[in-house]
Amino acid sequence: MVESRSVERERKNRQKAALARSIVVLNIPKVGESKYEKLFKFLSPRLEVGDLGEKGIAIQKDENGDTTGIAFVEYKKPETAMRALKVLDGFRLDANHRLSVILLADADKIMSTTETFDESSLVEKEYELDADAQRSLPEWLDDKRSREQFAVVQENNAVEVFWFDSVVGSERILAKEYWTDSKAMWSTRGNYLATFHDKGIAVWGGPEFKKLKRFPHENVSYAQFSKQENFLVTWSGVEISPGEESPPSDDYIDDRYVVVWEVATGRPLRWFPVYKRTELTGEEGKEVPPVWPIFKWSPDDRYFARLGENVISVYTTPSMGLLGKKKIAIPGVQAFEWSPTDPIIAYWTPEMGDSPARVCLLEIPSRVELRQKGLYSVSNVQLKWKEDGNFLSCRVIRFGKNRKHQYTNFEIFHMRDKNYPIDILEFKEKEKVSAFEWEPKGNRFGVIHGEEANYADVSFYSMDSTSTGKLKHIFTVPKKQFKSILWSPLGTVALLARVGHPSEATNGTYEWYNVTEHELIGLAEHYSATHMEWDASGRFVCSYTTNESWEADNGYNVYNISGRMTATVNMNKMYQFLWRPRPQLYLTAEQEKNVRKNIKKYREEFKREDDELKESMRSGKAAERRDMRLKWAEYLATKADLMKAIEDKLAEFNIGKEDDYIEIEEVEEEFIDIKEEVDRTRKMLNSDDERD
């Protein structure tokens, strides 16, 4: 049985290897049997881009002996097949035949796809979270205590990965010095850890964080995973001046290009130049650096888009070609954002002549305009989608009547209602709005606003998700020095903070608010903190200081959802603290209702588990100490017998006589010392037992 499994496994490995080094060539001329030899001689030198494998070139025929327009080519190495894919795909044989090439491995996947269209396959299935679903989760999500993971980058370019446990303390999973040349990052859904190196990006995964793929890109400084982690984008951060392009070849990729990679195979799919851009300011121009990320991805990875001058370029995957083979022309377009859940782009354009500024909703791929809103006296517009795609906030910064002052109002689109109605929230002309944040779960948001330079109010509002005109003020926290609203991913709790350089951190105080109950539930201080970040579960938040922002007081503090500190760690040099993201897990409405209904019961169960674990640790450590003392006493009591046994053994090899280095006098003196030491230990044990 074992042997048959081994044979089967070996057969499958050989099959995979053959698929990896073979290609399928489409759109070759269709000819009759009489012209087959002539066609073969014509095609062969063009398809031989490297050493051929055992099966070589095979042009497919039908039952009549006519060619079908398809050829198969096997090479000796997978690298040659990849090179053939780049060289031959799109190669024009003649006026009527342009070759199309795919890897045989990809063709195998296509052929195994069902012919029946299942619309539900386009929607991420809900997790039922029963025993079977739990077993299907990635190993790091299947932790019995539901712990979170985080990574730390510190001196010597070391990367450490930990389990975070507020009860027993963090547990190190893995630590490597010089694991990165500069920094690290988690992928969008948390399945991969990427490290940056002078020669490119390395991607690690699995329970032991083994290297999965390498993405070679000289001097890489930026990387971005697509929403579903199917693609990786890399760039060195250096732009190209128009006319300086050096088209990529098989032997050399200009590191100034942005490269889009396929994560599963590690192969580059397309290169894009990033040009230096000049904006006119008065009579002079100034170079404006590109804003990373260069591309923005649709939620399902089917599209990625790029902002250009008067255009938005939308590309499709996996072909990497322009949607509809042309760019979307939008005069003056300034910015755009994808909906987090739907194939919709929101963009805005400034006022031009007598035409107002506009915010538009554009459906992709149809390019149908779903809704637009005209705006006047506009200085800038900032677009922010709610995580569930239910609302779009447009923060509109307008000029006052004399254009010397500016004020802010919010135009909020209801994305789930007919005709996409809009609510408006206005602030006074003298009020400066410094922050706006949606609650991740729920229909609320928070705004920091005020007239004073150092103090501002923090106001919370709620939305009605089913109709317009229901924007409601909840409550306001007056006169605070905070600059940021950090909602727990669970919703309900909002953390008010001011982070950045320690010189800007005021008194280092942070406040946790239960927005539902309108109450302050926690206070904490971390004066030198330069960053604050919630974990993916929403149970813990970390404040930390990195060496790049502040050379002193590096380290991190972790607090629970109500502001109680659960861990504090000081480090000599820390460059990054990175909570591991989680993929979005969906509960049905009934499941979520059941969880909320029984939340007290679950809380009591978890608390009981934590208390039992703490008690077990306390009793276990006491028992461990007693056990160690007893073992030490036993060792001391038997040490004399051990030395005698060693002496007898050495004597068998004529070692230990007068001419050797072992002196019996010293051994006897050691015996006396041991006896005294045993007596002292016994007295110590007796006194410890009395205290216990």
Side-chain angles (χ1 to χ4, degrees):
M1 182 68 176
V2 174
E3 184 178 352
S4 63
R5 287 179 180 174
S6 176
V7 171
E8 176 65 15
R9 186 163 53 249
E10 184 178 350
R11 184 191 66 80
K12 287 184 177 180
N13 289 338
R14 287 199 304 270
Q15 185 182 45
K16 288 181 180 179
L19 290 174
R21 60 175 182 263
S22 302
I23 63 171
V24 183
V25 185
L26 308 174
N27 204 32
I28 65 174
K30 296 181 180 181
V31 299
E33 189 173 9
S34 61
K35 295 184 178 180
Y36 176 83
E37 291 298 331
K38 184 177 180 180
L39 175 64
F40 190 90
K41 290 180 180 179
F42 174 74
L43 279 178
S44 293
R46 290 161 176 78
L47 300 180
E48 290 180 13
V49 298
D51 293 336
L52 296 176
E54 181 181 347
K55 296 184 178 180
I57 301 170
I59 301 176
Q60 191 182 49
K61 299 180 183 180
D62 60 19
E63 62 274 8
N64 298 321
D66 300 334
T67 62
T68 62
I70 301 173
F72 298 91
V73 186
E74 181 185 340
Y75 300 96
K76 282 189 176 181
K77 296 180 180 179
E79 294 83 356
T80 311
M82 290 298 298
R83 186 170 185 273
L85 181 70
K86 297 176 187 176
V87 172
L88 297 175
D89 190 36
F91 179 78
R92 186 178 291 278
L93 284 177
D94 54 39
N96 299 318
H97 297 88
R98 184 189 293 271
L99 299 182
S100 177
V101 181
I102 58 176
L103 292 174
L104 186 55
D106 292 340
D108 182 60
K109 295 177 186 176
I110 295 169
M111 295 298 293
S112 64
T113 303
T114 176
E115 295 182 4
T116 305
F117 173 69
D118 180 10
E119 187 175 1
S120 64
S121 66
L122 300 179
V123 182
E124 189 167 359
K125 294 182 179 179
E126 296 177 344
Y127 284 93
E128 294 298 330
L129 296 184
D130 54 15
D132 292 334
Q134 284 289 349
R135 281 193 290 273
S136 70
L137 292 173
E139 81 290 334
W140 58 278
L141 292 177
D142 203 17
D143 180 60
K144 300 306 179 186
R145 285 184 48 75
S146 299
R147 295 175 296 177
E148 298 302 312
Q149 285 187 9
F150 67 91
V152 172
V153 180
Q154 53 180 308
E155 58 183 335
N156 296 329
N157 288 334
V159 182
E160 296 182 310
V161 183
F162 295 86
W163 285 111
F164 177 73
D165 196 315
S166 60
V167 178
V168 300
S170 296
E171 174 190 339
R172 183 185 285 110
I173 301 170
L174 190 65
K176 290 183 182 179
E177 285 193 346
Y178 306 106
W179 196 359
T180 177
D181 289 342
S182 57
K183 56 187 175 181
M185 65 178 286
W186 293 106
S187 59
T188 318
R189 295 161 59 88
N191 286 309
Y192 309 115
L193 178 67
T195 53
F196 287 67
H197 305 271
D198 295 340
K199 300 295 183 181
I201 300 289
V203 170
W204 314 76
E208 299 176 359
F209 288 94
K210 292 183 178 179
K211 185 186 288 185
L212 304 178
K213 295 291 178 186
R214 290 177 63 254
F215 301 89
H217 194 152
E218 293 278 345
N219 305 311
V220 63
S221 298
Y222 299 93
Q224 173 204 20
F225 282 90
S226 61
K227 300 292 186 181
Q228 300 299 322
E229 300 180 342
N230 294 312
F231 306 98
L232 174 68
V233 184
T234 61
W235 183 42
S236 66
V238 179
E239 312 99 303
I240 299 174
S241 296
E244 291 185 357
E245 300 90 341
S246 53
S249 66
D250 294 333
D251 302 322
Y252 173 72
I253 299 176
D254 191 319
D255 63 14
R256 297 175 297 178
Y257 280 73
V258 173
V259 185
V260 181
W261 308 81
E262 187 177 48
V263 172
T265 62
R267 62 190 178 109
L269 300 177
R270 185 165 175 181
W271 298 264
F272 295 86
V274 180
Y275 293 109
K276 294 182 178 179
R277 188 163 61 94
T278 301
E279 281 190 356
L280 292 177
T281 305
E283 296 180 356
E284 298 181 357
K286 65 174 182 178
E287 285 190 352
V288 179
V291 177
W292 182 262
I294 303 298
F295 296 109
K296 296 180 181 179
W297 291 85
S298 68
D300 57 4
D301 279 8
R302 293 180 64 189
Y303 309 102
F304 61 105
R306 178 183 188 179
L307 182 68
E309 188 172 352
N310 299 317
V311 296
I312 295 177
S313 301
V314 179
Y315 301 89
T316 62
T317 61
S319 69
M320 300 290 126
L322 269 173
L323 176 65
K325 297 185 179 180
K326 62 180 180 180
K327 301 175 181 179
I328 303 174
I330 306 172
V333 61
Q334 298 295 298
F336 76 94
E337 296 290 344
W338 284 98
S339 162
T341 55
D342 305 296
I344 296 174
I345 284 177
Y347 69 86
W348 80 276
T349 59
E351 297 173 78
M352 291 181 287
D354 295 331
S355 300
R358 293 189 310 144
V359 174
C360 296
L361 302 175
L362 193 67
E363 197 272 338
I364 299 297
S366 68
R367 308 189 188 204
V368 171
E369 190 175 277
L370 304 175
R371 178 76 153 90
Q372 69 162 285
K373 176 67 184 291
L375 305 165
Y376 289 93
S377 302
V378 173
S379 170
N380 194 10
V381 177
Q382 297 171 3
L383 307 169
K384 181 169 286 190
W385 287 92
K386 194 172 181 302
E387 191 175 285
D388 56 15
N390 288 345
F391 300 101
L392 168 66
S393 163
C394 304
R395 179 178 171 183
V396 184
I397 303 172
R398 299 177 183 270
F399 292 108
K401 293 181 180 180
N402 56 10
R403 299 186 73 86
K404 291 183 178 180
H405 301 285
Q406 295 182 347
Y407 66 99
T408 299
N409 75 283
F410 291 90
E411 310 267 342
I412 302 176
F413 289 74
H414 290 245
M415 297 302 299
R416 305 305 181 199
D417 293 343
K418 186 178 180 180
N419 298 325
Y420 310 102
I422 298 172
D423 275 338
I424 299 176
L425 175 62
E426 295 183 330
F427 290 91
K428 299 176 183 177
E429 185 169 330
K430 294 182 180 180
E431 283 190 290
K432 180 181 178 182
V433 176
S434 57
F436 174 100
E437 293 296 336
W438 285 110
E439 180 185 22
K441 293 185 182 297
N443 294 326
R444 296 175 290 200
F445 61 87
V447 184
I448 298 179
H449 58 98
E451 299 180 15
E452 298 183 30
N454 297 322
Y455 291 90
D457 297 338
V458 184
S459 296
F460 295 96
Y461 298 84
S462 66
M463 303 286 298
D464 188 326
S465 61
T466 58
S467 63
T468 186
K470 298 294 184 180
L471 181 62
K472 178 184 177 183
H473 173 256
I474 305 174
F475 73 105
T476 294
V477 181
K479 306 301 180 185
K480 295 293 181 178
Q481 290 183 289
F482 300 123
K483 297 290 186 183
S484 304
I485 303 171
L486 305 171
W487 287 93
S488 164
L490 290 173
T492 304
V493 175
L495 168 61
L496 306 184
R498 181 170 181 167
V499 293
H501 193 276
S503 63
E504 302 174 354
T506 63
N507 58 2
T509 301
Y510 314 110
E511 298 180 359
W512 282 256
Y513 283 86
N514 183 322
V515 179
T516 302
E517 302 296 333
H518 308 181
E519 65 177 352
L520 175 68
I521 60 173
L523 286 167
E525 291 186 356
H526 188 176
Y527 173 74
S528 61
T530 56
H531 302 77
M532 295 198 80
E533 184 181 348
W534 285 93
D535 76 324
S537 73
R539 295 175 297 166
F540 302 101
V541 64
C542 177
S543 63
Y544 56 96
T545 306
T546 61
N547 192 264
E548 293 179 349
S549 304
W550 191 250
E551 293 186 358
D553 301 323
N554 283 196
Y556 58 88
N557 296 339
V558 181
Y559 311 87
N560 68 9
I561 197 169
S562 59
R564 181 175 62 84
M565 185 184 294
T566 61
T568 180
V569 176
N570 297 318
M571 305 178 73
N572 185 31
K573 290 182 180 180
M574 187 180 80
Y575 297 101
Q576 287 180 284
F577 179 100
L578 305 163
W579 287 113
R580 188 171 191 173
R582 285 174 174 256
Q584 188 173 6
L585 303 181
Y586 293 97
L587 293 175
T588 64
E590 186 63 30
Q591 288 173 327
E592 189 164 343
K593 181 181 178 181
N594 182 63
V595 170
R596 294 185 182 278
K597 180 180 178 181
N598 297 287
I599 191 68
K600 289 185 178 180
K601 182 185 74 172
Y602 296 141
R603 186 184 294 120
E604 290 172 359
E605 289 179 3
F606 296 146
K607 186 178 185 304
R608 184 172 63 254
E609 288 180 7
D610 288 349
D611 291 343
E612 289 174 356
L613 183 57
K614 290 177 183 177
E615 181 59 33
S616 173
M617 288 177 59
R618 282 194 291 266
S619 59
K621 287 182 179 178
E624 185 180 358
R625 286 195 296 269
R626 284 195 296 271
D627 189 49
M628 290 176 66
R629 289 198 297 267
L630 290 172
K631 287 182 179 179
W632 176 244
E634 291 174 3
Y635 168 72
L636 293 176
T638 59
K639 187 176 179 183
D641 295 335
L642 180 63
M643 292 298 295
K644 183 66 170 61
I646 292 174
E647 179 187 349
D648 293 341
K649 191 66 178 176
L650 292 175
E652 295 179 11
F653 298 92
N654 296 321
I655 298 175
K657 297 181 179 179
E658 293 180 1
D659 57 342
D660 292 317
Y661 293 102
I662 297 178
E663 299 182 9
I664 301 300
E665 292 81 359
E666 291 184 6
V667 174
E668 290 175 349
E669 185 175 279
E670 177 74 4
F671 290 166
I672 296 171
D673 292 342
I674 290 171
K675 185 177 183 303
E676 292 175 353
E677 193 168 0
V678 170
D679 290 338
R680 285 196 302 271
T681 302
R682 283 173 177 163
K683 290 179 182 179
M684 180 183 70
L685 289 174
N686 291 334
S687 62
D688 283 349
D689 289 339
E690 291 175 0
R691 285 196 298 270
D692 290 340

